[in-house]
Amino acid sequence: PQLQVAERVVHACTNGGIALLDAPTGTGKSIALLTAAIAWQRKAFQEHGSAPQIIYGVRTHAQLAQMVGELKKMPYRPRMAVIGSREQLCINSQVKASASRQRVSLNLMCRQAARRATHQGPPSARGGFGTSDGCACEPYVQLGGHAHARRVFERCAAPGKLWDVEDLVQVSASSGSLGGCPYYTSHVLAGSADVVICPHNYILDPAVSQCKSHHREHWSLEDRIVIIDEAHNLEQGCRDAGSVEASLSELRQAAAALAALAARHPLLRVRTRGVELSCLDLVTELQRLPMQLATALEALAAGAPSAGQGRAQGQGPGGGGGTGELLEGVDKVWGLPGHPAAGEFLRHAGLSAKDILSKGTEDLLVELTDRLLRVQATGQESAT
């Protein structure tokens, strides 16, 4: 089976095609996939002077270490990178403790701490990292430091070096105050690696795969060799990437975050389609969407009938104050069968109806709203 898998991989790489490969558990298909892809990559480089990067997606974080182990069995020693989650790679105990204490995601707390650190300047000027309104991340500031770069190169990035998540964490943690952030370091290393091993969501979730932060300026799925191991989990992976779970409290927090944004940026102006809006005007419109959903959830929690039942009983919008009016917005949420995607819901929320949105602005607001629905913080912390 390994030879057959390798042959199909080489054929797909040569022709720029897609190969769907299946083999019984324990037949060595993973090592066959990676070996064949690297062999083709090396041959392409010898013939053309360049070759596509290999992105190898695995289902779980435990499989990241497993694939590095498989890579060590091969005769090849490509430049490689392993991308994991912040939960695996974060070395800032203060940030992790703050996220746990405030019951917010580590992703959100990490971004806030990194932003504070870069805005506050070097720690020596303030007697250390951290502010009264939250912690700042010293490892993030050290990310571009010479000492950190040298240690990472010697232990992980030098030619012939194969490393795992634990190796990168050890390099950073053992460097004391000079250690840079392992999470963002792995993203930087992935930009120039021959082989990148990552979880499925870095391939399947557009919010992750299309991220263009300066740490991942070279990241792309275009013109790459993309291998998805455990591909029978693709359906669930795509479903997870296209789904958002938001509780009633999170929707209220999203509205509070928007209100804080207007308070912090009162002079901000947005001009679209010849109409100039203040930050407060825009925030007022954006708040309609999470507030409508929050109102709908409150109605459901109170035991009100569904929107469809309300209309069937003559309780639709304008029908005597029934729940149909409260839940009308739920029928317009993008992704439900029988309704257009985002545009219909935004029109119902009042954004397009007031003719204040261009198509580009509408797309931006869809993304912003989706992200706000994921936020699990309150007040100004949510708005940063």
Side-chain angles (χ1 to χ4, degrees):
Q2 287 183 314
L3 288 177
Q4 292 177 324
V5 167
E7 288 173 356
R8 302 315 300 170
V9 169
V10 170
H11 182 270
C13 292
T14 303
N15 294 280
I18 298 174
L20 300 177
L21 307 174
D22 186 23
T25 301
T27 55
K29 57 181 178 296
S30 296
I31 193 171
L33 284 168
L34 193 52
T35 302
I38 294 175
W40 183 91
Q41 183 188 59
R42 290 168 63 89
K43 185 174 184 293
F45 184 83
Q46 293 172 354
E47 294 178 351
H48 307 291
S50 63
Q53 185 183 64
I54 298 172
I55 299 178
Y56 195 102
V58 298
R59 183 173 62 88
T60 66
H61 284 91
Q63 290 174 320
L64 293 173
Q66 178 182 341
M67 287 311 304
V68 173
E70 296 291 342
L71 191 57
K72 291 179 179 179
K73 299 176 184 177
M74 304 177 191
Y76 306 119
R77 290 295 181 267
R79 292 175 301 171
M80 52 86 65
V82 181
I83 297 180
S85 66
R86 286 178 170 88
E87 283 74 11
Q88 282 189 306
L89 289 163
C90 179
I91 60 172
N92 192 323
S93 57
Q94 186 181 7
V95 170
K96 291 191 286 188
S98 183
S100 176
R101 183 173 60 254
Q102 298 185 36
R103 296 183 179 180
V104 302
S105 70
L106 181 57
N107 291 347
L108 175 65
M109 188 58 63
C110 169
R111 289 191 291 268
Q112 292 178 349
R115 186 177 296 111
R116 292 192 193 99
T118 55
H119 288 172
Q120 292 170 9
S124 58
R126 306 183 313 279
F129 275 94
T131 62
S132 59
D133 61 343
C135 59
C137 186
E138 181 177 1
Y140 183 83
V141 175
Q142 299 297 336
L143 185 62
H146 174 73
H148 175 65
R150 179 174 52 80
R151 286 179 61 86
V152 168
F153 178 81
E154 292 174 351
R155 295 283 297 276
C156 301
K161 292 286 187 179
L162 299 179
W163 55 275
D164 196 359
V165 168
E166 287 76 12
D167 298 319
L168 189 56
V169 170
Q170 184 180 13
V171 168
S172 298
S174 63
S175 300
S177 61
L178 297 179
C181 171
Y183 175 77
Y184 286 109
T185 297
S186 68
H187 286 220
V188 174
L189 292 175
S192 58
D194 298 322
V195 178
V196 179
I197 304 173
C198 62
H200 280 175
N201 63 314
Y202 277 84
I203 300 172
L204 302 177
D205 189 344
V208 180
S209 64
Q210 296 178 17
C211 173
K212 293 298 182 184
S213 71
H214 63 282
H215 311 98
R216 296 173 58 192
E217 58 183 345
H218 299 298
W219 174 272
S220 175
L221 297 181
E222 295 183 5
D223 301 321
R224 270 31 175 205
I225 300 171
V226 179
I227 301 175
I228 302 179
D229 205 353
E230 303 282 342
H232 57 274
N233 294 287
L234 276 178
E235 182 178 359
Q236 183 60 45
C238 293
R239 186 182 297 114
D240 292 342
S243 302
V244 175
E245 292 184 3
S247 66
L248 175 59
S249 62
E250 288 168 350
L251 291 168
R252 292 297 186 192
Q253 290 164 8
L258 286 165
L261 184 66
R264 289 165 52 202
H265 301 282
L267 301 181
L268 179 66
R269 312 288 294 183
V270 177
R271 187 174 182 83
T272 178
R273 289 190 176 183
V275 178
E276 187 173 280
L277 302 171
S278 68
C279 185
L280 180 60
D281 293 334
L282 195 59
V283 162
T284 299
E285 295 301 325
L286 284 172
Q287 282 180 314
R288 292 176 182 269
L289 191 151
M291 290 299 289
Q292 280 187 334
L293 290 175
T295 302
L297 288 176
E298 287 177 334
L300 290 173
S306 67
Q309 292 173 326
R311 285 193 296 275
Q313 298 167 1
Q315 297 176 331
T323 58
E325 183 175 359
L326 291 175
L327 303 181
E328 183 69 20
V330 177
D331 285 344
K332 306 293 186 179
V333 177
W334 53 92
L336 290 182
H339 293 283
E344 183 68 21
F345 191 33
L346 288 175
R347 278 190 289 275
H348 181 76
L351 294 166
S352 296
K354 294 191 176 182
D355 198 33
I356 64 173
L357 288 185
S358 63
K359 177 59 178 174
T361 308
E362 179 176 308
D363 292 341
L364 176 63
L365 295 183
V366 171
E367 179 181 357
L368 172 61
T369 304
D370 283 344
R371 292 181 181 277
L372 283 172
L373 293 179
R374 297 174 185 263
V375 171
Q376 300 178 14
T378 58
Q380 291 193 0
E381 288 296 318
S382 300
T384 56

